[in-house]
Amino acid sequence: GENVEQHPSTLSVQEGDSAVIKCTYSDSASNYFPWYKQELGKRPQLIIDIRSNVGEKKDQRIAVTLNKTAKHFSLHITETQPEDSAVYFCAASKKDSSYKLIFGSGTRLLVRP
Amino acid sequence: NAGVTQTPKFRILKIGQSMTLQCTQDMNHNYMYWYRQDPGMGLKLIYYSVGAGITDKGEVPNGYNVSRSTTEDFPLRLELAAPSQTSVYFCASSPTAGQGSQDTEAFFGQGTRLTVV
């Protein structure tokens, strides 16, 4: 089955700097890659996603890139703000009968004021 | 729309007890999922369902059972609770491809924090 690895497990950046989180996946049939943000004690919420027919997608300060050949995708957050502090999860799924998401282990991002 | 609703929010169980975690969604989504999240860890898929009457095992199904008699409801049953089942449980749902513009976004409930002592 699918396996998703995520790095780093923790990331501390100064406010205003950029943050990059990387994930690799094992199943070449996977074609949907969302990123979720989870604040302490809250539910995961989708912040951005990308499909395998696209190499890059951007939404204001966040962007995701996908390299299908290498089977990895990354989340980029620019001009980080203290409210970006949270745990970020990548995930992968494929258009079989279930769209079930397999998650990475998470990255705890701390943005220092 | 209320989205995905889970009950209870918190529960303490004794070893060997059983309970059912309730999950209901009002978005008419065909796909529903149960995940567990251990402290400081990612989400692991327990069971999923692609429609009423259809369920399948995920990554960590042992010790759990599910049923899907209606589109709206997807309860998770714990039999003979064990300390290893102490976790936060999240239910999620997503639409069938084509139902919406973001046809694979998963919406999560607020979670059930379960402690087995």
Side-chain angles (χ1 to χ4, degrees):
Chain A
E2 176 66 278
N3 182 52
V4 179
E5 295 193 356
Q6 183 171 347
H7 301 280
S9 56
T10 60
L11 180 59
S12 179
V13 300
Q14 194 70 38
E15 182 178 359
D17 287 350
S18 295
V20 180
I21 302 170
K22 299 182 179 181
C23 289
T24 60
Y25 60 99
S26 61
D27 189 343
S28 56
S30 290
N31 59 0
Y32 175 64
F33 308 94
W35 287 88
Y36 282 81
K37 177 182 180 182
Q38 186 179 31
E39 297 177 344
L40 189 63
K42 300 288 182 65
R43 73 190 79 187
Q45 293 198 300
L46 180 73
I47 55 170
I48 195 168
D49 56 14
I50 191 167
R51 288 172 171 77
S52 59
N53 59 347
V54 176
E56 183 174 0
K57 184 177 178 180
K58 192 172 182 179
D59 183 3
Q60 298 183 342
R61 295 187 298 108
I62 60 173
V64 57
T65 59
L66 171 65
N67 183 326
K68 286 189 296 182
T69 303
K71 289 190 285 188
H72 68 68
F73 56 111
S74 300
L75 177 71
H76 305 253
I77 306 174
T78 59
E79 300 173 23
T80 54
Q81 301 167 2
E83 52 265 38
D84 294 329
S85 296
V87 179
Y88 291 81
F89 293 98
C90 63
S93 77
K94 58 186 176 183
K95 191 176 178 180
D96 56 7
S97 61
S98 67
Y99 281 108
K100 57 184 182 288
L101 292 171
I102 302 301
F103 283 86
S105 54
T107 296
R108 184 173 300 277
L109 174 64
L110 174 65
V111 180
R112 307 186 304 272
Chain B
N1 285 353
V4 180
T5 302
Q6 291 181 237
T7 56
K9 292 184 180 178
F10 305 94
R11 184 71 185 268
I12 299 175
L13 276 183
K14 293 184 178 179
I15 295 172
Q17 287 185 320
S18 61
M19 76 164 293
T20 299
L21 282 68
Q22 302 291 344
C23 175
T24 187
Q25 52 93 8
D26 61 358
M27 297 175 282
N28 199 34
H29 288 170
N30 285 333
Y31 300 152
M32 295 189 75
Y33 316 88
W34 274 105
Y35 289 89
R36 62 176 285 174
Q37 184 176 32
D38 297 335
M41 303 293 285
L43 294 100
K44 293 294 185 183
L45 182 65
I46 306 171
Y47 269 95
Y48 64 96
S49 169
V50 300
I54 306 170
T55 63
D56 209 345
K57 295 178 180 179
E59 302 170 277
V60 289
N62 292 345
Y64 307 94
N65 276 300
V66 293
S67 60
R68 185 93 182 272
S69 57
T70 66
T71 299
E72 294 78 19
D73 300 307
F74 190 40
L76 177 71
R77 179 80 177 165
L78 278 72
E79 304 282 2
L80 297 174
S84 60
Q85 294 179 304
T86 294
S87 191
V88 178
Y89 292 83
F90 286 101
C91 178
S93 71
S94 65
T96 309
Q99 280 186 302
S101 59
Q102 294 198 46
D103 57 7
T104 44
E105 177 180 356
F107 296 84
F108 284 81
Q110 78 275 27
T112 295
R113 186 175 297 275
L114 176 68
T115 302
V116 182
V117 296

